[in-house]
Amino acid sequence: MQTYYSDLLVIGAGLAGERVACEAAQNGFKASCLSIVPARRSHSSAAQGGMQAALGNCAKGEGDCTDVHFIDTVKGSDWGCDQEVARLFADTAPIEMRRLAHWGVPWNRVVPGKSFFFKGGEKFEKYEKEENEGLITARSFGGTAKWRTCYTSDGTGHAVMCTMDNRCAELGIDVFDKKEAISLIHDGETCMGAVVRCLRTGELEVHLAKATAICTGGFGRIYKATTNAVICDGGGHILAHETGVVPIGNPESIQFHPTGIVPTDILVTEGCRGDGGTLLDVNEERFMHIYEPEKAELASRDVVSRRMTEHMRAGKGVKSAYGEHLWLDIRHLGDKHISTKLREVDEICHHFLGVNPRTELIPVRPTQHYTMAGIRTNKDGAVYGLKGLYSAGEAACWDMHGFNRLGGNSLAETVVAGGIIGAKIVEFLKGYETKFDTKAINLEIKRQKERIHDITHGRNGKLNVYEVRNEMQEALMKGCFVFRNKEGLEECVSTLQGTMEKARQVGLVSDGAGPNHELAAAMKLEGQVRLAICIAQAALMRTESRGSHNREDYPERNDAKWLNRTLAYWREGADMPELQYEDTTPLFELPPGDRGYGGGSIIPADEKYVKERTVKSPVTEIGKKK
Amino acid sequence: MGRQLKFEIFRYNPEREGDVPHMQEFTLDETPNMTLFIALNRLREEQDPSLIFDFCCRAGICGACAMVINGRPGLACQTKTKDQPTRITLHPLPVFKLVGDLSVDTGVWFREMYAKTESWVHTTKTFDPTKEEERMDNSVAEQIYELERCIECGCCVAACGTARLRDDFMGAAALNRIARFVVDPRDQRTDEQYFEIIGTDNGIFGCMGLLACEDVCPKGLPLQNQLGFLRRKMGITAMKHIFRKK
């Protein structure tokens, strides 16, 4: 068996993973990355919008600063984030964007003079200053006070991913593609690396390292309908979680988007509704105005998602071979508007549906979009529970997003957190030596070989991998989606417990030889169901509504009881997660205030508690000026 | 009522002892808005879980699912079955090493390409985190991005006459990559340095001008324009070289 050794092993080679690896390599450490796919195919590359950083170069970004970015981020999180982390993030983002420019990202730049922009269908004029010509410009994004989103045309993720991967090539970092980590090697205290399955040959390898970082993105694929790439299946989370000592932070915190196309759940922009698109039901009648008389289709993403789900539950969904959906109608916007302002939507309809949105309706449904949930780390990115284990990016619950993430903050997080956490890993590596416990390594290899043998030979049972996976996905869609309530969640947990039993009894139909996909799916199934149960159980216990977590039976945000973060452990041999709670943030620069969106009532936190933790901050000064 | 589709799929798993390359037929009922992404996943999940193929973003952004569809290289995720006849033949991309069935090793090919082209900005400047970013004209930034839109799917290489004849031909993707750095003012490499990389028959002078690379590019990149641009530039560089020697 092949054994590889490095100072830092990064599992996942998307933006966060490669950024972490670059930091280590720049400081003279040997870093290697594992990736299921060639690095540039990572889900990071699919992000089109941009990265938030308070550079304040463009006209509509004038007066922007890291304090305002911090405020937007904390409000966006519905006061569920760690404010120390949000501060670190906002302060570092501008430097990181400039660094990317130095490395080769072709950011769009300020063009001086008069230009136009649209807001709510109306045309406005703006003037870019001569003196800012050629500096990194920004575009507007939802939920931000200023134009702050740095971008490269419509392919920010792709462009930054190319540059980052180039940087890895330049630094000589080994990026091993078609390699999947299947378990961590640890002794209950220290992480030593991972057992890895080669997706070219199916053979096992050992990768040992002084430090290991999990940067594997989100786990949207445990839901049936998700915007995530097929590789975002929770593999990295499962590695950490199944050690029994690492908690998943805020598992109930999952973001949804109202308009994924059916069947493949590729997003069509909210701009469709912004520009006057309407949602129709099975009778081709509008319904949003019934639920939301004032805002109708223009209500916030969460609200629209919930109302769509509600309407389908009322029997008004369109039945299809792929389950129920509704219609998005932009026919009335006309050819000119669709060909220019909604070109991207036009292309998606054409390429993936074969639908002409000028004359036909677009099938849409609410869709899982982002996991604020993740492997819980401290502000240095160090994972709770295991020494030498780190996590960054969407995989982590570093927790600058709290219970809702702002657009443009996720892509920025990948590189900003990657840089910060990479530097912390360098600090850790400096002067750190370790011994590799050959017993732990051999035990883990043996365990994995046995596991593969058992699954391949149907030793635990013969249940179909894809059918069991489907049951899990359906259970989450039914009970733990945009709408949550006690009955639905209890049913979801109980269904998933049954699914767990089944997940332990899967056996392959195929022979599992070589780069077999059925085996890969089978090996992570139990871990996926564990994650699913964590989501449902944590959602059941959290009797309030905060950010994306919405309880029909507890509509208020309850700061008195729930100003905290869920930590879901899965102890060895257990059938249910052990839920613990910790304070949301050690300090408040911005004490809990209004809900950033959607309104709704708040049960305030204990005044003394908040006061004791509130520190003097420039953001309170900004508040005063207003 | 939907059509019944017949799939003829290339099968060979090099890791399975005694396996020989062959074609296998599958039948599937077509559903509305079906793409090859949906069809192949259904075949694997419902009929033959040993089927090997790659998908990642399934949205035409990552390039993972390139294969030869009814004789033509393209992305499976954005191929709608309704645009195909009822008989759909699928092969893996040629030129690249076969992983199994429809999956090929594009990762290693492209990684080698990065090494050959030294695919990064060559500069002597160091980054100063306390300073404002270096300015750039927006039109230049957009020009760079236009060339960086390549998703490394490998369709252009698979469709290339020269690449099929010569293992070491760099292909349109590599030449496009060089063009990306040539237009980037941050890269301080000279034309002579670029000539060292691509001024051979394995590079810019190996192209037969058959245009297939551009025809099959799912992102519609102007690959032939870049080739022409580089060839002129490299031609001039070569001429200068000759005169200087005299």
Side-chain angles (χ1 to χ4, degrees), chain A residues 40-41 57 98 101 104-105 109 131 133-134 136 158 166 173 177 200 230 264 322 350 354 469 511, chain B residues 16 31-32 45 56 58 62 80 82 105-106 111 114 119 133-135 138 148 151-152 180 186:
Chain A
R40 290 173 199 223
R41 311 221 191 286
N57 292 332
R98 293 183 178 125
V105 173
R109 304 294 180 133
E131 71 231 45
E133 180 172 11
I136 299 169
H158 174 81
N166 284 342
I173 295 167
D177 68 347
R200 290 187 178 84
V230 300
T264 48
Y322 312 101
H350 171 70
R469 189 178 72 182
D511 61 1
Chain B
R16 185 182 294 121
T31 45
E45 290 175 18
C56 184
R58 59 77 183 93
C62 83
K80 298 175 291 291
K82 75 172 179 189
D105 201 340
T106 47
R111 188 79 183 176
Y114 311 158
S119 170
E133 64 271 23
E134 208 167 297
R135 291 170 193 247
N138 191 54
E148 205 163 79
I151 53 172
E152 305 189 354
R180 179 246 177 269
R186 291 168 294 197

Side-chain angles (χ1 to χ4, degrees), chain A residues 5-129:
Chain A
Y5 173 80
S6 54
D7 293 310
L8 170 65
L9 172 68
V10 184
I11 301 170
L15 282 177
E18 290 206 332
R19 181 68 188 87
V20 167
C22 285
E23 200 60 29
Q26 277 162 214
N27 285 280
F29 292 101
K30 181 176 160 60
S32 56
C33 294
L34 303 175
S35 179
I36 304 182
V37 292
R40 290 173 199 223
R41 311 221 191 286
S42 305
H43 193 45
S44 302
S45 73
Q48 298 185 321
M51 293 189 177
Q52 283 204 33
L55 288 161
N57 292 332
C58 67
K60 303 297 287 179
E62 222 167 276
D64 197 13
C65 65
T66 54
D67 294 337
V68 183
H69 189 186
F70 168 83
I71 293 172
D72 284 344
T73 302
V74 175
K75 280 187 182 170
S77 79
D78 217 353
W79 273 268
C81 74
D82 182 327
Q83 296 197 9
E84 277 191 310
V85 169
R87 169 52 76 181
L88 265 176
F89 164 72
D91 286 353
T92 315
I95 301 169
E96 206 59 40
M97 297 311 127
R98 293 183 178 125
R99 192 192 314 270
L100 290 174
H102 180 77
W103 284 353
V105 173
W107 293 121
N108 277 63
R109 304 294 180 133
V110 175
V111 179
K114 189 167 88 173
S115 58
F116 299 100
F117 67 98
F118 290 83
K119 198 177 167 187
E122 253 185 279
K123 194 172 177 181
F124 295 91
E125 218 175 73
K126 67 180 173 68
Y127 294 89
E128 296 291 351
K129 285 181 183 160

Side-chain angles (χ1 to χ4, degrees), chain A residues 408-516:
Chain A
N409 258 0
S410 56
L411 198 59
E413 183 195 14
T414 61
V415 291
V416 176
I420 294 170
I421 292 161
K424 289 292 171 186
I425 294 174
V426 167
E427 269 177 37
F428 169 80
L429 288 172
K430 277 182 182 161
Y432 174 73
E433 293 303 332
T434 188
K435 286 179 182 146
F436 293 118
D437 181 347
T438 50
K439 192 177 157 201
I441 298 166
N442 290 330
L443 261 176
E444 194 52 42
I445 295 166
K446 189 163 165 266
R447 206 169 69 89
Q448 293 308 319
K449 278 188 174 164
E450 279 173 9
R451 197 153 78 96
I452 290 172
H453 185 269
D454 288 351
I455 293 173
T456 314
H457 292 82
R459 288 285 167 83
N460 307 320
K462 287 274 187 193
L463 294 182
N464 183 293
V465 175
Y466 298 114
E467 277 170 22
V468 179
R469 189 178 72 182
N470 203 36
E471 186 177 297
M472 165 190 76
Q473 291 172 332
E474 296 286 1
L476 283 178
M477 294 297 287
K478 188 166 174 231
C480 202
F481 205 52
V482 292
F483 259 132
R484 298 162 180 199
N485 59 46
K486 185 167 179 283
E487 291 71 34
L489 288 166
E490 278 173 348
E491 190 196 321
C492 184
V493 171
S494 124
T495 307
L496 287 169
Q497 280 174 314
T499 314
M500 173 69 91
E501 278 310 306
K502 292 180 191 166
R504 289 168 177 159
Q505 294 167 36
V506 295
L508 301 191
V509 176
S510 66
D511 61 1
N516 181 286

Side-chain angles (χ1 to χ4, degrees), chain A residues 26 212 257 266 298 346 378 433 498 512 548 577 584-585 607 626:
Chain A
Q26 277 162 214
T212 304
H257 195 288
I266 298 167
L298 298 178
D346 194 17
N378 65 15
E433 293 303 332
S548 65
T584 295
T585 178
E607 248 176 75
K626 280 177 183 170

Side-chain angles (χ1 to χ4, degrees), chain A residues 263-309:
Chain A
T264 48
D265 301 294
I266 298 167
L267 274 195
V268 294
T269 172
E270 282 165 316
C272 290
R273 285 173 289 121
D275 291 355
T278 53
L279 289 164
L280 306 181
D281 62 19
V282 66
N283 305 318
E284 301 195 10
E285 283 168 6
R286 276 185 76 190
F287 59 90
M288 275 306 297
H289 64 285
I290 303 168
Y291 300 101
E292 301 289 325
E294 275 178 31
K295 291 192 171 171
E297 276 87 356
L298 298 178
S300 75
R301 316 182 155 177
D302 301 50
V303 174
V304 176
S305 298
R306 266 176 263 142
R307 295 311 188 187
M308 289 169 75
T309 309

